[in-house]
Amino acid sequence: MIYDINETHDPYIQSWVESANISGTDFPLQNLPFGVFLSGNSKGRPRVGVAIGNQVLDMSAAEIEGLFLGEASTAAGACASETLNDLMALGRRHWSALRRRLHQLLRADAPAGDRQRVQRHLVPMHEVEMLVPARIGDYTDFYASVYHATNVGTMFRPDNPLLPNYKYVPIGYHGRASSIVVSGTPVRRPKGQTRDDAAKPPVFGPSKRLDYEAEIGAFVGPANDLGDPVPLGAAESHLFGLCVVNDWSARDIQTWEYQPLGPFLAKNFATTTSPWVVTMEALAPFRTSAFRRFDGDPAPLPYLANDDDQRNGGVDLFLEVYLSSEQMRERDFEPMRLSRGNFRDMYWTLAQMLAHHTSTGCNLRPGDLLASGTVSGNTSGSRGCLLELTWRGSEALQLPTGETRQFLKDGDEVTMHAYCEREGCTRIGFGECTGVIIG
């Protein structure tokens, strides 16, 4: 079930927090994403916050003010935790009640008394340190872009780029949750086994083909019991919200290790997430149809198909990648945009990924993270990783300083931005997902 559009999405309602009304802000009143932060007032204890303009509302402090009632109060009480897991576990009725109440408290015509009480618990965004928003028990990375899969397959298997199962199965692998880090955390270049010369044995050393992957992540809400699959029609009710994910990848390590069991050390050293989680309800105005399959493609099997998911299962969400080398920053060059893709190009919907994940009876838990795989489109400017943009390193990128890049060098900073915009709707964004490579 997709969320209905209601007054919390109304583009004509503004906030008394003036920075939330500035054109192009990621965090207008219509967004209200959740995150976890530290500030001078938190005394070293992580706090749940809501982004509004350039401010963060301390939810624990606001709840103590008695500003929430009923289901909204239960949801606000869950925000007293040090992560979003307790809130994620409650489900959409409580999430919606809390969103409506936050909207009432932050809109321009909110009662003066409520406004004064809320204002006491706003913290400037530049004064907070953001953390990974949830305690992530498990992390699964999918491979949901047919354009990305086709490009990569063509590099390695030009006569057979897509394996026979791709259009039947939402392909994924279990990633490493312990090395998920928040935006801004430096990423150390990994070491591993590589073999460039098939006639010689492998060597161990720093990766020479370090890459990023621009992805969207979905946080799981309410759990399903072990042995109890989630049907496709109920899958959306198990999704809390989305974030940006950079699935850093050591391509040379990956090439040597991936057969026969797939990614391992090439992807276990770091995965970066944006700190803010945009709720599925905030995304309601930007829902779109599922990817239109090519003529001759098989229809999804019955457990992965229903009319509602085909009509509304996609998300019209732009994802941009920027690169800034150390030399570019020293010379005050602006970051260079490398690509701009759209999440609506995913071959599989989020609901299909979750339904397939649980189809064996696998139990997902609140705070589990499902990533989409690289978001790539059908044009060269929408390819979501360097492996595709440089075609496995054969076509170097030219930077404004005269430098070239096939893969990432030490000092390179990769920044991803995601946002939704559509005529008649207020633009909403996800904030930055950024990381710099260190040796």
Side-chain angles (χ1 to χ4, degrees):
M1 176 191 289
I2 310 298
Y3 287 92
D4 293 329
I5 296 175
N6 56 43
E7 74 276 7
T8 67
H9 305 102
D10 189 334
Y12 298 104
I13 300 178
Q14 293 195 316
S15 174
W16 53 263
V17 179
E18 291 298 330
S19 58
N21 305 322
I22 297 172
S23 176
T25 180
D26 276 350
F27 308 124
L29 180 64
Q30 291 76 11
N31 194 349
L32 303 178
F34 289 85
V36 175
F37 70 96
L38 289 172
S39 74
N41 295 331
S42 64
K43 299 178 181 178
R45 181 180 180 275
R47 315 274 282 197
V48 171
V50 171
I52 179 71
N54 61 11
Q55 304 289 308
V56 180
L57 175 59
D58 184 331
M59 285 298 299
S60 182
E63 195 274 334
I64 292 172
E65 288 276 359
L67 291 165
F68 305 96
L69 298 173
E71 291 173 334
S73 177
T74 302
C79 294
S81 174
E82 295 185 359
T83 68
L84 290 176
N85 294 69
D86 289 349
L87 177 63
M88 291 172 171
L90 290 178
R92 62 189 302 163
R93 213 174 67 242
H94 289 87
W95 305 335
S96 289
L98 181 57
R99 175 179 168 84
R100 286 177 183 269
R101 182 55 179 155
L102 287 168
H103 187 270
Q104 291 170 357
L105 292 169
L106 292 165
R107 57 188 289 165
D109 59 358
D114 287 348
R115 174 174 169 170
Q116 290 171 0
R117 288 193 289 170
V118 170
Q119 199 160 21
R120 287 199 289 266
H121 306 298
L122 289 176
V123 185
M125 205 168 277
H126 69 268
E127 294 182 5
V128 306
E129 175 190 351
M130 299 304 298
L131 307 176
V132 175
R135 185 177 61 256
I136 302 171
D138 283 295
Y139 161 50
T140 302
D141 195 17
F142 283 90
Y143 194 49
S145 167
V146 69
Y147 298 118
H148 173 66
T150 300
N151 285 337
V152 174
T154 299
M155 296 173 200
F156 295 92
R157 301 179 303 274
D159 296 329
N160 185 31
L162 287 182
L163 295 176
N165 63 354
Y166 186 84
K167 294 183 178 181
Y168 289 96
V169 176
I171 301 294
Y173 73 94
H174 293 291
R176 184 71 187 175
S178 66
S179 52
I180 294 175
V181 296
V182 74
S183 175
T185 304
V187 174
R188 187 170 298 279
R189 181 178 297 274
K191 297 178 180 179
Q193 281 194 31
T194 61
R195 189 171 78 161
D196 294 332
D197 187 339
K200 296 180 180 179
V203 297
F204 182 85
S207 170
K208 297 176 183 177
R209 296 183 179 180
L210 187 56
D211 201 356
Y212 62 83
E213 291 192 353
E215 307 190 13
I216 294 297
F219 279 101
V220 174
N224 63 299
D225 292 331
L226 180 64
D228 186 14
V230 176
L232 182 63
E236 287 262 351
S237 66
H238 289 263
L239 292 173
F240 174 75
L242 306 186
C243 67
V244 183
V245 170
N246 183 347
D247 182 37
W248 304 95
S249 300
R251 299 300 188 186
D252 43 0
I253 297 173
Q254 184 177 1
T255 299
W256 174 234
E257 75 175 6
Y258 85 102
Q259 292 181 335
L261 292 180
F264 180 34
L265 301 184
K267 291 174 176 283
N268 77 347
F269 58 95
T271 300
T272 302
T273 70
S274 58
W276 295 106
V277 184
V278 176
T279 64
M280 299 306 295
E281 187 165 9
L283 294 165
F286 307 100
R287 300 308 294 263
T288 189
S289 59
F291 184 86
R292 183 175 178 179
R293 295 190 164 209
F294 308 114
D295 292 343
D297 281 5
L301 295 181
Y303 79 102
L304 292 175
N306 69 30
D307 290 342
D308 189 41
D309 190 57
Q310 287 301 300
R311 284 193 303 267
N312 303 299
V315 186
D316 189 3
L317 189 166
F318 293 97
L319 181 57
E320 297 180 345
V321 181
Y322 292 80
L323 176 66
S324 175
S325 71
E326 189 169 25
Q327 189 178 140
M328 287 172 65
R329 296 193 298 278
E330 289 173 351
R331 295 170 60 181
D332 292 325
F333 281 93
E334 290 294 317
M336 174 182 172
R337 192 176 82 179
L338 300 184
S339 67
R340 183 175 186 255
N342 195 296
F343 193 59
R344 63 176 175 242
D345 286 332
M346 295 294 98
Y347 197 79
W348 298 100
T349 67
L350 290 166
Q352 287 172 320
M353 293 180 222
L354 189 144
H356 180 69
H357 201 316
T358 67
S359 61
T360 58
C362 172
N363 56 320
L364 300 180
R365 295 169 294 185
D368 283 357
L369 181 63
L370 310 180
S372 62
T374 303
V375 177
S376 291
N378 62 353
T379 64
S380 59
S382 60
R383 295 173 180 172
C385 62
L386 287 176
L387 181 68
E388 292 178 84
L389 283 170
T390 70
W391 208 253
R392 206 181 175 189
S394 65
E395 303 170 7
L397 295 177
Q398 300 292 322
L399 303 188
T401 52
E403 301 170 274
T404 61
R405 287 293 184 275
Q406 287 92 0
F407 293 97
L408 297 172
K409 303 289 187 182
D410 290 352
D412 285 351
E413 183 175 47
V414 177
T415 300
M416 299 176 184
H417 295 274
Y419 57 93
C420 298
E421 60 182 8
R422 180 177 285 181
E423 187 176 354
C425 303
T426 300
R427 176 195 182 279
I428 64 173
F430 287 68
E432 286 190 349
C433 180
T434 188
V436 64
I437 303 301
I438 58 176

